[in-house]
Every structure is written in structure tokens, then in C-alpha cells.
């Protein structure tokens, strides 16, 4: 097993790396998010990482929303994060109506995830576009544990 996630990492290896990193946010960004594909982040890292985070359910308390992510460019796609009753789930595509839709290029999304691009700056520069409930967008960092 490698010590960081790559686009070729298996789901089992990704989970082992997440377990080894623990709550260290810098290690998470460098070892898990830096080279991971959007598909790996949405379909493996986010749901698994949420189950490992003891504050996860607390962050989601009182939030009921569907977030739509549209990532453009190589490796992009569409994913939904559904938050309800302290739970988080991820779906591929656009299965449900979203209250908040976030659209950006894969490279900008990766930069936000690794901490090299501030989400507010990305929004102000037009790199991150939001449609729908802006208050939900503003809560996203706290919900995902990146704020």
C-alpha cells in the first residue's frame, strides 16, 4: 500500500490511508486529497471519512439539503451530497432536485480541497459558480469539515 492516494488506488487502500491519517487535516490534504480523482473523493473518501469523523453527525444536525456538484474537465462528472438527520450520503449523477448547485473546473475543485485556493476567492473570481440557496453554500465548509 502506498502512503498517499493516487487515481489508481483501490477503495481498500484508500480506506487504509484515511485510517492512518486520522484527524490530521494537513496530512489529509497531502496524502488523501492531493492526487485523488473526483470520483474517489465523492464515492469513497467522503462517505468513508464521514463515518470516521466523530463530529460528523454534529456538523450535520439541523441540515436537510441536496448539494449538486458539477465538475467540468478531465475526470469531472456530477455528484450529489445528501444531508439529512445527521447523515451524509453521496450519489452519482442528478437523481434528486438540488437546493444548492456548485459548478467549477476539476483543477479549481482540487485546489480548494488541498487548501491552495480559498472557496470565497474562487467564487469572487468566477471560478466557482453557485445556483440556488446561497446560505446552504455558505454552510458547506462547516458541513464537510473543511472550514
Amino acid at each position: 500500500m502506498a502512503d498517499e492516494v493516487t487515481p489508481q488506488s483501490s477503495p481498500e487502500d484508500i480506506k487504509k490511508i484515511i485510517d492512518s491519517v486520522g484527524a490530521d487535516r494537513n496530512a489529509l490534504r497531502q496524502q488523501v486529497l492531493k492526487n485523488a480523482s473526483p470520483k474517489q473523493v465523492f464515492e469513497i473518501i467522503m462517505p468513508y471519512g464521514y463515518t470516521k469523523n466523530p463530529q460528523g453527525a454534529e456538523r450535520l444536525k439541523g441540515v436537510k439539503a441536496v448539494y449538486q456538484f458539477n465538475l467540468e474537465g478531465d475526470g469531472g462528472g456530477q455528484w450529489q451530497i445528501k444531508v439529512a438527520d445527521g447523515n451524509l450520503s453521496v450519489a452519482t449523477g442528478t437523481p434528486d432536485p438540488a437546493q444548492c448547485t456548485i459548478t467549477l473546473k476539476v483543477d479549481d475543485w482540487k485546489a480548494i480541497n488541498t487548501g491552495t485556493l480559498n472557496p470565497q476567492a474562487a467564487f469572487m473570481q468566477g471560478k466557482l459558480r453557485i445556483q440556488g440557496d446561497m446560505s446552504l453554500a455558505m454552510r458547506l465548509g462547516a458541513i464537510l469539515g473543511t472550514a
Side-chain angles (χ1 to χ4, degrees):
M1 175 186 76
D3 62 347
E4 67 180 42
V5 173
T6 69
Q8 294 77 32
S9 296
S10 71
E12 295 76 25
D13 285 343
I14 292 170
K15 291 174 183 178
K16 287 177 186 174
I17 294 167
I18 292 170
D19 290 342
S20 72
V21 167
D24 182 340
R25 186 174 292 179
N26 288 330
L28 177 71
R29 286 180 170 161
Q30 291 305 310
Q31 292 176 252
V32 178
L33 298 174
K34 181 179 173 186
N35 296 314
S37 71
K39 181 177 175 63
Q40 289 171 315
V41 172
F42 281 103
E43 297 177 20
I44 301 166
I45 296 168
M46 194 174 293
Y48 185 72
Y50 171 75
T51 66
K52 295 294 184 179
N53 185 340
Q55 296 87 22
E58 189 63 33
R59 280 193 193 114
L60 303 180
K61 221 177 209 175
V63 180
K64 183 173 170 70
V66 176
Y67 291 92
Q68 177 70 45
F69 283 83
N70 300 322
L71 302 184
E72 302 168 337
D74 191 33
Q78 295 180 312
W79 291 271
Q80 286 187 342
I81 299 174
K82 299 175 188 180
V83 179
D85 304 319
N87 295 306
L88 178 144
S89 63
V90 178
T92 303
T94 59
D96 294 312
Q99 287 81 39
C100 180
T101 300
I102 298 162
T103 304
L104 67 163
K105 292 180 181 174
V106 170
D107 290 341
D108 294 327
W109 175 82
K110 284 184 176 186
I112 289 170
N113 279 340
T114 58
T116 59
L117 177 61
N118 178 288
Q120 288 91 356
F123 177 76
M124 297 303 285
Q125 295 167 11
K127 294 180 177 185
L128 184 152
R129 298 179 306 280
I130 298 170
Q131 293 178 314
D133 190 333
M134 185 63 78
S135 67
L136 287 174
M138 293 171 62
R139 291 187 71 182
L140 193 58
I143 291 169
L144 299 178
T146 57

